[in-house]
Amino acid sequence: MSFFTGKTKLVNSTPIPSSISSSTGDAAAATAGKITKEAAIALLHDHDFFLKTDPHHVSHRTLAPVAGEDEKESSGMDAATARQIHQLPRDVEPVSRPPVRVYEVVDHVPNPVWSSSVVSKEELVNVKDGLFVRIRSPLSVVMETRWIVRERKGGKSGGEEEEDDGELELVEDCEIVCSKLLVGIVKGQVDNNWEGIHARIVARMVEDAKKKKENGGA
């Protein structure tokens, strides 16, 4: 890392409700559904939904993981090859095919540095406990984020102590690497947006659990 490059890390977490209350108000139907860890992780593996949770999202399209290869060829790539080509961190173990999905994402981000339309390249990797995301944005801004669903430890949310009111929690572990002049701006964007993104994800988990119960699911 050069002298002019800065790095910062942010960790935010949000409780995931252990049960979903019925909208009918019936005492006998106090629990209308349950958000399982498997269902929560499956939602993170829904890339189309995940990308749209960013409040600045305008559009996205799938790119071939390797330049010159089509989607059919890339889907046959094994994890070891993908790890080498995409230089994945050692702790990131792909669980899907293709191991890495690459997207071109357009965001509308009014700020004093970028233009209003920012085009980024995002690499998404489904992992056992959630999702690994690497974002490469203009001006050599790189963000690597691990989105994890885990048993709640009763720790912190947004830097403040929270009550342990859920069995599971959604954890966003983000590392930002960019010019030292931009670290504050990029960090500020994460600080401003994480609560809304978490809220959208958890709300969808709740919605899916209710629908599953209504349809006779366990």
Side-chain angles (χ1 to χ4, degrees):
M1 184 181 300
S2 73
F3 175 78
F4 300 101
T5 301
K7 179 189 290 188
T8 189
K9 188 170 184 177
L10 302 167
V11 180
N12 296 307
S13 63
T14 296
I16 298 173
S18 59
S19 60
I20 310 304
S21 298
S22 171
S23 59
T24 64
D26 294 341
T31 301
K34 179 179 178 62
I35 300 175
T36 65
K37 186 175 182 178
E38 293 74 19
I41 293 171
L43 180 60
L44 292 179
H45 290 177
D46 181 345
H47 297 176
D48 187 64
F49 165 76
F50 176 82
L51 291 170
K52 291 177 180 178
T53 60
D54 189 315
H56 302 297
H57 176 274
V58 175
S59 65
H60 66 270
R61 67 186 183 96
T62 304
L63 300 176
V66 180
E69 288 191 358
D70 60 26
E71 184 67 20
K72 183 177 180 179
E73 292 172 325
S74 298
S75 64
M77 184 187 300
D78 59 68
T81 301
R83 178 180 300 282
Q84 181 179 12
I85 292 175
H86 294 274
Q87 299 182 336
L88 299 179
R90 291 185 178 182
D91 65 323
V92 174
E93 294 289 345
V95 296
S96 302
R97 288 291 184 95
V100 181
R101 288 191 178 273
V102 185
Y103 300 88
E104 179 184 84
V105 180
V106 180
D107 293 320
H108 179 74
V109 188
N111 61 70
V113 178
W114 292 290
S115 62
S116 58
S117 292
V118 177
V119 180
S120 301
K121 177 181 177 181
E122 302 196 13
E123 299 160 274
L124 275 61
V125 182
N126 294 341
V127 296
K128 180 180 179 181
D129 294 327
L131 183 69
F132 171 78
V133 180
R134 178 187 287 142
I135 302 175
R136 300 181 187 274
S137 296
L139 302 180
S140 300
V141 175
V142 179
M143 295 174 56
E144 292 189 349
T145 306
R146 291 161 173 79
W147 292 85
I148 301 298
V149 176
R150 70 184 184 192
E151 282 69 31
R152 182 160 168 76
K153 298 180 179 180
K156 297 181 179 180
S157 178
E160 297 181 0
E161 293 291 335
E162 296 285 340
E163 293 182 2
D164 188 3
D165 56 358
E167 295 179 356
L168 300 174
E169 64 180 348
L170 174 66
V171 180
E172 174 191 9
D173 187 336
C174 175
E175 181 179 271
I176 302 167
V177 178
C178 62
S179 164
K180 290 181 179 178
L181 298 175
L182 299 177
V183 168
I185 295 175
V186 180
K187 179 179 181 295
Q189 290 180 340
V190 176
D191 285 336
N192 291 335
N193 295 332
W194 77 266
E195 289 182 297
I197 294 173
H198 284 221
R200 293 182 186 93
I201 294 173
V202 173
R204 174 63 180 275
M205 292 177 183
V206 171
E207 178 184 350
D208 288 351
K210 287 183 177 179
K211 288 182 178 179
K212 182 177 180 180
K213 185 65 177 180
E214 290 171 358
N215 292 331

